[in-house]
Coordinates of all heavy atoms in Angstrom, one line a residue:
D1 N 12.4 8.5 5.7 CA 13.3 9.1 4.7 C 14.3 8.1 4.1 O 14.9 8.3 3.1 CB 14.1 10.3 5.3 CG 13.2 11.5 5.5 OD1 12.2 11.6 4.9 OD2 13.6 12.3 6.4
D2 N 14.5 6.9 4.8 CA 15.4 5.9 4.3 C 14.7 4.9 3.5 O 15.3 3.9 3.0 CB 16.1 5.2 5.5 CG 17.0 6.2 6.3 OD1 17.6 7.1 5.6 OD2 17.2 6.0 7.5
V3 N 13.4 4.9 3.3 CA 12.7 4.0 2.5 C 12.7 4.4 1.0 O 12.3 5.6 0.7 CB 11.1 3.9 3.0 CG1 10.4 3.0 2.1 CG2 11.1 3.5 4.5
A4 N 13.2 3.5 0.2 CA 13.4 3.8 -1.2 C 12.1 3.6 -2.0 O 11.7 4.4 -2.9 CB 14.5 3.0 -1.8
S5 N 11.3 2.5 -1.6 CA 10.1 2.3 -2.3 C 9.3 1.2 -1.5 O 9.9 0.5 -0.7 CB 10.3 1.8 -3.7 OG 11.0 0.6 -3.8
V6 N 8.0 1.1 -1.7 CA 7.2 0.1 -1.1 C 6.3 -0.5 -2.2 O 5.7 0.1 -3.0 CB 6.3 0.7 0.0 CG1 5.5 -0.3 0.7 CG2 7.1 1.5 1.0
F7 N 6.3 -1.9 -2.1 CA 5.5 -2.6 -3.1 C 4.5 -3.5 -2.3 O 4.8 -4.3 -1.5 CB 6.4 -3.5 -4.0 CG 5.6 -4.2 -5.1 CD1 5.2 -3.5 -6.1 CD2 5.4 -5.6 -5.0 CE1 4.5 -4.2 -7.2 CE2 4.7 -6.3 -6.0 CZ 4.3 -5.6 -7.1
F8 N 3.2 -3.3 -2.6 CA 2.1 -4.0 -2.0 C 1.5 -5.0 -3.0 O 1.4 -4.6 -4.2 CB 1.0 -3.1 -1.6 CG 1.3 -2.1 -0.5 CD1 1.7 -0.8 -0.9 CD2 1.2 -2.4 0.8 CE1 2.0 0.1 0.1 CE2 1.5 -1.5 1.8 CZ 1.9 -0.2 1.4
T9 N 1.0 -6.1 -2.5 CA 0.1 -7.0 -3.2 C -1.0 -7.3 -2.3 O -0.9 -7.4 -1.1 CB 0.7 -8.3 -3.8 OG1 1.1 -9.1 -2.7 CG2 1.9 -8.0 -4.6
T10 N -2.2 -7.5 -3.0 CA -3.4 -8.0 -2.2 C -3.9 -9.2 -3.0 O -3.7 -9.3 -4.2 CB -4.5 -6.9 -2.2 OG1 -4.9 -6.6 -3.6 CG2 -4.0 -5.7 -1.5
T11 N -4.5 -10.1 -2.2 CA -5.2 -11.2 -2.9 C -6.4 -10.6 -3.7 O -6.9 -9.6 -3.5 CB -5.7 -12.2 -1.8 OG1 -6.5 -11.5 -0.8 CG2 -4.5 -13.0 -1.2
P12 N -6.8 -11.4 -4.7 CA -7.8 -10.9 -5.7 C -9.1 -10.5 -5.0 O -9.9 -9.7 -5.5 CB -8.0 -12.0 -6.7 CG -6.8 -12.8 -6.6 CD -6.2 -12.7 -5.2
D13 N -9.4 -11.0 -3.8 CA -10.7 -10.7 -3.2 C -10.6 -9.4 -2.3 O -11.6 -9.0 -1.7 CB -11.1 -11.9 -2.2 CG -9.9 -12.3 -1.2 OD1 -8.9 -11.7 -1.2 OD2 -10.2 -13.2 -0.5
L14 N -9.5 -8.7 -2.4 CA -9.4 -7.4 -1.7 C -9.3 -6.3 -2.8 O -8.2 -6.1 -3.4 CB -8.1 -7.3 -0.8 CG -8.2 -8.1 0.4 CD1 -6.8 -8.1 1.2 CD2 -9.3 -7.8 1.3
N15 N -10.5 -5.6 -3.1 CA -10.5 -4.7 -4.1 C -11.2 -3.4 -3.8 O -11.5 -2.5 -4.6 CB -11.0 -5.2 -5.4 CG -12.5 -5.7 -5.2 OD1 -13.1 -5.5 -4.2 ND2 -13.0 -6.4 -6.3
A16 N -11.5 -3.2 -2.5 CA -12.3 -2.1 -2.0 C -11.4 -0.8 -1.7 O -11.9 0.2 -1.4 CB -13.1 -2.5 -0.8
G17 N -10.1 -1.0 -1.6 CA -9.3 0.1 -1.3 C -7.8 -0.2 -1.6 O -7.5 -1.3 -1.9
F18 N -6.9 0.8 -1.4 CA -5.5 0.7 -1.7 C -4.7 0.7 -0.5 O -4.8 1.6 0.4 CB -5.1 1.9 -2.6 CG -5.7 1.9 -3.9 CD1 -6.7 2.9 -4.2 CD2 -5.3 1.1 -4.9 CE1 -7.3 3.0 -5.4 CE2 -5.8 1.2 -6.2 CZ -6.9 2.1 -6.4
P19 N -3.8 -0.3 -0.3 CA -2.9 -0.3 0.9 C -2.1 1.0 0.9 O -1.7 1.5 2.0 CB -2.1 -1.5 0.7 CG -3.0 -2.5 -0.1 CD -3.7 -1.6 -1.0
A20 N -1.7 1.5 -0.3 CA -0.8 2.7 -0.3 C -1.5 3.9 0.3 O -0.8 4.8 0.8 CB -0.5 2.9 -1.8
A21 N -2.8 4.0 0.4 CA -3.5 5.1 1.0 C -3.1 5.1 2.5 O -2.9 6.2 3.0 CB -5.0 4.9 0.9
A22 N -3.0 4.0 3.1 CA -2.5 4.0 4.6 C -1.1 4.4 4.7 O -0.7 5.1 5.6 CB -2.7 2.6 5.2
A23 N -0.2 4.0 3.7 CA 1.2 4.4 3.7 C 1.3 6.0 3.7 O 2.1 6.6 4.4 CB 1.9 3.8 2.6
R24 N 0.5 6.6 2.8 CA 0.6 8.0 2.6 C 0.2 8.7 3.9 O 0.8 9.7 4.3 CB -0.3 8.5 1.5 CG 0.4 8.2 0.1 CD -0.4 8.8 -1.0 NE -1.7 8.2 -1.3 CZ -1.9 7.2 -2.1 NH1 -0.8 6.5 -2.6 NH2 -3.1 6.7 -2.2
K25 N -0.8 8.1 4.6 CA -1.3 8.7 5.9 C -0.2 8.6 7.0 O -0.2 9.4 7.9 CB -2.6 8.0 6.4 CG -3.8 8.4 5.6 CD -5.0 7.6 6.0 CE -6.2 7.9 5.2 NZ -7.4 7.0 5.6
L26 N 0.6 7.6 6.9 CA 1.7 7.4 7.8 C 2.9 8.3 7.5 O 3.9 8.2 8.3 CB 2.2 5.9 7.9 CG 1.2 5.0 8.5 CD1 1.6 3.6 8.4 CD2 1.0 5.3 10.0
G27 N 2.9 9.0 6.4 CA 4.0 9.9 6.1 C 4.9 9.5 4.9 O 5.9 10.0 4.7

């Protein structure tokens, strides 16, 4: 609840999924 925002980057060779999907699963 104290997290205002999260910004992810991936190297160009990672394009099969979104890191944010894991964040949503964590709440």
Side-chain angles (χ1 to χ4, degrees):
D1 288 335
D2 293 330
V3 178
S5 64
V6 181
F7 185 73
F8 296 94
T9 65
T10 60
T11 50
D13 52 1
L14 291 176
N15 61 6
F18 295 103
R24 285 190 290 276
K25 289 178 185 176
L26 289 174

